[in-house]
Amino acid sequence: MSLEPARLQPMANAIRALSMDAVEAANSGHPGMPMGMADVATVLFTGHLKFDPTAPDWADRDRFILSAGHGSMLIYSLLYLTGYAAPTIDDIRNFRKLGSPCAGHPENFLLDGVECTTGPLGQGLAMAVGMAMAERHLNAVYGDDLVDHRTWVIAGDGCLMEGINHEAIGLAGHLKLGRLNVLWDDNRITIDGATDLSSSEDIKARYIATGWHVTECDGHDFADIERALQEAKADPRPSLVACRTLIGKGAPNKQGTSGVHGAALGGAEVAAARETLGWTAEPFVIPSEILADWRLAGEPGRAAHGAWAGRLEASEKKGDFTSQMAPIGSLVGPAIAGYIDDLARNPKTVATRKASEMALGPLTAAIPQLVGGSADLTGSNNTKTPSTLPMTAEDYSGRYVYYGIREFGMAAAMNGMALHGGIVPYGGTFLIFSDYCRNAIRLSALQQTGVVYVMTHDSIGLGEDGPTHQPVEHVMSLRLIPNLNVYRPADVIETAECWALALTTPETPSVLCLTRQNLPQLRGKGDENWSQANNRSAQGGYRLREATAARKVVIVATGSEVELAMTCADELEAQGIGADVVSMPCAELFDAQPEAYKADVLPTDALIVSIEAGSTLGWERYTGRSGINIGIDTFGASAPAEDLFAHFGFTAEAIVPQILNKLNA
């Protein structure tokens, strides 16, 4: 749809009016960015973005990401004006108020049409890289008839300053993601003031250096915007369009200043802006002729959707494509059951990072949605399998991404892939570097994406690399994040079970914390004929060994320390003291069990002892004030793993006397 400037200008001013009105009513928000980018957004939505407001989840729609999420009224205005079912004008009227889907920053779980949660600057753009990767991969598999769309981003100065921007654009440039276009709101204003207070870099040169196409336009000249977007679409490289804009355009006394960035304009300035813009409608009222023009913007997309649906129906790949876009839960159990059955009969002593690789073998062979990768630690994370060939700029059909040393960028890109649909991403790094990924992991949980993080070298057990690489607080700190399952399996069978669980929780991300050192297989008997229905790890914590003498102690452990718990129980039983051993691969799943189950596993009439080679903080939830928490509340040290475990008291010789003393106190 191509409209002349005389019709486009009132449409853009409708965005400005709604943004002013909503922020003013809330007395909170960021009117400057939506007012400044209204002209660019109008050209994008009326002439370039492929979308169908009646089918927000249409698989071949263009993805639009407002990376500068503080300017949320831009996307709320666009969704309303173009005819999405929500937000309604009442939702916008209640912007930033409890119960309104128009939250302070866009949330993907509140509104269709919001592709991802944005606000932490830079992450929207980085997630867009993942979406563009997903599009190219699925296009390589299914062809242009079924997958042929673009990813559009509006990003601000802050998005381009954040460190994650460097990681994201480097990956996009390397993979030559030509369907990715970033519209930079080049208004040269941040909260503190002009950008030259803090930055003097040549941003366009930085993008060019990473393999991007770069162009620019006057962000308030409709013809120039149109020219730049056409140029971006035509170039085979990812594109940055520097849109020179005036923040808060239309507010005569505040435009171009930081004063319009993050605060309501105030009644007097709103009135002055209405006069400047020639906007005479009442607050939250869009004149019918302007609204009618906006509603026409979705018509080309509706037609494109209809044509696509016809191609899908006629395609010989329809069944495969439909399956690709569906949840994978039903595929997981059958894919891994035979593998676990074999382990039950033929035990293996391996590190759980190796056990993870072994489980991924049958999983990636059977489930084409699985796309793996590593942040330059493939040989350490063991994330590659024979079924996952490299994804490259020459062959996007591959299912393994070499992310390079870009942990944060990897995590955000995986969020984008998961949100795009058709891909279930997993990626690896060392657990210690989960701190580099943490804000993206948090967004995985907030956005309800089934991303799987493979975090190896999970304790002092990694040995000689020393305290800089030895995670001690990380497992417990990750457990603090809501809607995140943190798994620390004890052996090869638990590792497979944790993978099965991670892949059957599409709205909950998972972190697999895995060892570098070999661990004996503790499970096997009774695990023949395994199925998801009898996945013991699904309870989060379960009685691995039952006391033979009268039970006085329950030892709860995770990961590599479960073997130690078994040794401690042996010594206690030899002295006539009954000891259960509880393996707790996932505290979150255990906490979700019925109270009766938890009371049975952790009875109040026994001494509860926790053993985990990490922070003891939090274990008192299970052990109580009278229990014992064996862990590490300091940093580690550089030495072979076995020496470190002995030094920090992770031996039966160190632990059993503590238990006996407590029992005899």
Side-chain angles (χ1 to χ4, degrees):
M1 186 177 92
S2 180
L3 296 176
E4 64 275 10
R7 290 173 70 184
L8 291 174
Q9 193 63 70
M11 296 170 74
N13 287 345
I15 296 172
R16 294 185 170 100
L18 283 176
S19 299
M20 288 191 300
D21 291 343
V23 173
E24 196 66 25
N27 194 29
S28 172
H30 299 74
M33 194 284 278
M35 294 177 73
M37 282 296 280
D39 300 326
V40 174
T42 299
V43 174
L44 175 64
F45 270 70
T46 59
H48 298 273
L49 191 73
K50 183 173 66 172
F51 67 102
D52 181 353
T54 65
D57 59 350
W58 166 35
D60 200 37
R61 68 192 181 279
D62 283 358
R63 270 56 172 184
F64 171 69
I65 294 90
L66 182 64
S67 188
H70 57 277
S72 57
M73 271 310 305
L74 179 67
I75 192 168
Y76 300 151
S77 299
L78 289 163
L79 293 176
Y80 167 71
L81 291 168
T82 54
Y84 283 77
T88 65
I89 198 66
D90 283 338
D91 293 331
I92 290 176
R93 197 187 305 272
N94 290 306
F95 172 61
R96 287 189 165 223
K97 292 185 172 64
L98 189 63
S100 173
C102 297
H105 292 80
E107 304 284 8
N108 69 301
F109 51 88
L110 292 180
L111 284 172
D112 291 331
V114 173
E115 300 286 359
C116 57
T117 290
T118 56
L121 292 180
Q123 285 202 62
L125 195 158
M127 285 187 277
V129 172
M131 292 181 187
M133 291 167 64
E135 189 276 340
R136 286 291 84 192
H137 171 72
L138 295 172
N139 172 270
V141 176
Y142 295 103
D144 289 347
D145 279 354
L146 300 184
V147 183
D148 184 17
H149 55 266
R150 301 179 188 276
T151 303
W152 296 90
V153 182
I154 286 182
D157 289 302
C159 294
L160 274 55
M161 285 187 192
E162 287 283 0
I164 192 174
N165 183 261
H166 171 77
E167 298 184 26
I169 68 171
L171 181 62
H174 176 70
L175 290 176
K176 301 178 182 177
L177 300 176
R179 294 306 183 91
L180 173 63
N181 300 301
V182 175
L183 311 181
W184 168 28
D185 179 17
D186 182 17
N187 62 39
R188 305 179 194 180
I189 293 291
T190 64
I191 292 174
D192 279 353
T195 53
D196 61 14
L197 288 171
S198 59
S199 179
S200 56
E201 65 181 301
D202 187 336
I203 292 173
K204 288 177 280 191
R206 174 156 57 87
Y207 271 72
I208 291 169
T210 56
W212 283 58
H213 160 250
V214 174
T215 188
E216 56 190 39
C217 68
D218 179 341
H220 304 303
D221 181 324
F222 293 112
D224 202 33
I225 298 166
E226 175 69 21
R227 186 266 316 156
L229 298 194
Q230 292 286 6
E231 183 183 328
K233 288 166 66 174
D235 198 281
R237 297 165 293 179
S239 291
L240 175 73
V241 181
C243 306
R244 186 71 176 98
T245 62
L246 191 65
I247 190 171
K249 181 172 174 57
N253 302 302
K254 293 188 176 182
Q255 64 184 14
T257 72
S258 59
V260 76
H261 184 286
L265 297 179
E269 187 70 3
V270 169
R274 293 178 114 78
E275 183 175 350
T276 298
L277 296 170
W279 191 264
T280 58
E282 293 296 312
F284 300 105
V285 173
I286 306 299
S288 58
E289 64 275 14
I290 297 175
L291 189 58
D293 276 347
W294 265 116
R295 295 295 160 88
L296 287 174
E299 290 301 322
R302 277 189 281 271
H305 182 192
W308 175 87
R311 294 195 301 273
L312 176 63
E313 191 62 33
S315 175
E316 61 183 15
K317 296 181 179 180
K318 177 185 176 183
D320 289 342
F321 181 80
T322 302
S323 296
Q324 180 92 37
M325 301 305 291
I328 66 170
S330 63
L331 305 176
V332 176
I336 207 168
Y339 163 72
I340 295 177
D341 288 347
D342 183 68
L343 288 175
R345 296 175 174 85
N346 302 287
K348 300 287 192 298
T349 295
V350 295
T352 52
R353 63 171 176 160
K354 179 64 178 178
S356 171
E357 178 187 40
M358 292 161 60
L360 277 170
L363 287 167
T364 54
I367 305 174
Q369 290 93 331
L370 287 174
V371 173
S374 171
D376 201 52
L377 290 169
T378 295
S380 294
N381 300 147
N382 296 77
T383 41
K384 195 174 185 304
T385 75
S387 299
T388 55
L389 300 176
M391 181 190 297
T392 67
E394 293 71 40
D395 183 5
Y396 293 113
S397 68
R399 293 164 53 205
Y400 193 81
V401 183
Y402 289 99
Y403 286 101
I405 303 91
R406 300 183 178 105
E407 295 90 352
F408 195 3
M410 174 184 71
M414 289 196 295
N415 281 337
M417 284 189 270
L419 290 163
H420 178 280
I423 287 179
V424 177
Y426 67 91
T429 186
F430 290 166
L431 179 59
I432 194 75
F433 300 136
S434 64
D435 281 346
Y436 285 167
C437 309
R438 189 178 183 93
N439 206 265
I441 296 174
R442 185 177 187 272
L443 278 188
S444 298
L446 180 62
Q447 296 179 102
Q448 303 168 24
T449 63
V451 175
V452 182
Y453 295 93
V454 181
M455 302 290 189
T456 69
H457 297 58
D458 71 342
S459 74
I460 56 171
L462 71 88
E464 292 86 344
D465 276 343
T468 62
H469 281 55
Q470 291 167 3
V472 290
E473 76 275 24
H474 296 72
V475 173
M476 192 57 75
S477 72
L478 287 166
R479 290 176 181 142
L480 295 174
I481 299 176
N483 192 42
L484 177 68
N485 287 337
V486 181
Y487 296 96
R488 192 162 183 254
D491 72 352
V492 66
I493 287 182
E494 273 197 5
T495 303
E497 289 187 330
C498 291
W499 260 113
L501 293 166
L503 296 178
T504 51
T505 55
E507 295 184 350
T508 299
S510 302
V511 177
L512 298 176
C513 303
L514 306 171
T515 68
R516 176 179 184 265
Q517 71 274 27
N518 289 340
L519 302 179
Q521 184 170 322
L522 303 175
R523 293 263 303 276
K525 184 178 179 181
D527 291 307
E528 305 88 350
N529 303 313
W530 184 92
S531 70
Q532 277 283 53
N534 58 22
N535 184 333
R536 297 182 74 188
S537 295
Q539 296 165 312
Y542 62 93
R543 189 173 292 113
L544 177 63
R545 166 184 170 156
E546 190 165 356
T548 54
R551 181 180 60 206
K552 295 184 179 179
V553 179
V554 176
I555 306 176
V556 187
T558 74
S560 52
E561 288 70 71
V562 177
E563 175 193 5
L564 174 57
M566 297 284 273
T567 302
C568 292
D570 286 341
E571 294 198 11
L572 291 168
E573 292 279 357
Q575 299 182 50
I577 300 170
D580 286 355
V581 174
V582 171
S583 178
M584 191 177 287
C586 183
E588 293 79 15
L589 293 182
F590 180 76
D591 290 344
Q593 299 306 307
E595 291 300 322
Y597 175 81
K598 291 186 285 187
D600 178 65
V601 173
L602 300 177
T604 56
D605 62 352
L607 172 65
I608 311 296
V609 180
S610 68
I611 308 177
E612 184 172 67
S615 173
T616 60
L617 180 67
W619 277 108
E620 64 275 2
R621 290 186 302 157
Y622 307 112
T623 63
R625 294 178 64 186
S626 59
I628 300 175
N629 305 124
I630 307 296
I632 304 176
D633 292 315
T634 65
F635 292 116
S638 179
E642 58 272 21
D643 295 343
L644 289 170
F645 279 113
H647 173 74
F648 286 103
F650 288 93
T651 64
E653 292 77 13
I655 295 170
V656 170
Q658 294 182 60
I659 295 173
L660 294 175
N661 288 340
K662 192 73 171 182
L663 290 173
N664 295 327

